[in-house]
């Protein structure tokens, strides 16, 4: 982890879904969360990409652009998990066998469980 408080990117086309994830993660963990539209992330040059500690990456039905972003994150060594509403992707994504897929809508603590596994040094917020 690059900082005392991890920096988490939520790459999501639907703003309300991104805000929901931001709220759930921000309430549970001491972290910074940045919401990014997929087209914004695609435009960033590799050198301009902030040092994220983790990324939640939406995997839409037409997954080709998201898979290109996933490859880029993997090359940069940024851990990530996919989020998806598609039944096709809920059990994994070809070529990304080790990357978890979180079903939307978020529920049952699955989102926080995956984020916690991917960021084991992240501190829980004290309520």
């Amino acid at each position: 982890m690059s900082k005392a408080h991890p920096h988490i990117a939520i790459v999501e086309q639907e703003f309300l879904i991104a805000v929901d994830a931001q709220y759930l993660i921000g309430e549970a963990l001491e972290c910074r969360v940045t919401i990014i539209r997929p087209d914004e992330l695609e435009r960033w040059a590799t050198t301009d990409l902030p040092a994220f500690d983790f990324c939640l990456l939406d995997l839409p039905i037409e997954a080709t652009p998201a898979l290109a972003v996933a490859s880029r994150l993997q090359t940069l060594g940024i851990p990530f998990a996919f989020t998806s509403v598609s039944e096709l992707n809920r059990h994994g994504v070809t070529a990304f066998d080790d990357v978890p897929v979180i079903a939307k809508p978020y529920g049952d603590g699955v989102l926080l469980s995956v984020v916690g596994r991917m960021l084991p040094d992240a501190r829980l917020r004290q309520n």
Side-chain angles (χ1 to χ4, degrees), residues 37-88:
R37 286 193 339 259
D39 59 317
E40 291 174 336
L41 186 62
E42 291 168 16
R43 284 195 300 263
W44 279 345
T46 300
T47 56
D48 296 333
L49 193 63
F52 293 115
D53 296 295
F54 178 71
C55 180
L56 275 180
L57 179 60
D58 176 44
L59 191 62
I61 302 292
E62 173 44 51
T64 303
L67 294 176
V69 170
S71 291
R72 189 167 159 215
L73 292 170
Q74 202 169 46
T75 299
L76 293 169
I78 298 172
F80 63 96
F82 291 113
T83 60
S84 182
V85 295
S86 172
E87 287 293 324
L88 299 173

Side-chain angles (χ1 to χ4, degrees), residues 5 16 34 60 63 68 75 96 109:
H5 298 298
L16 292 178
T34 300
T75 299
F96 296 97

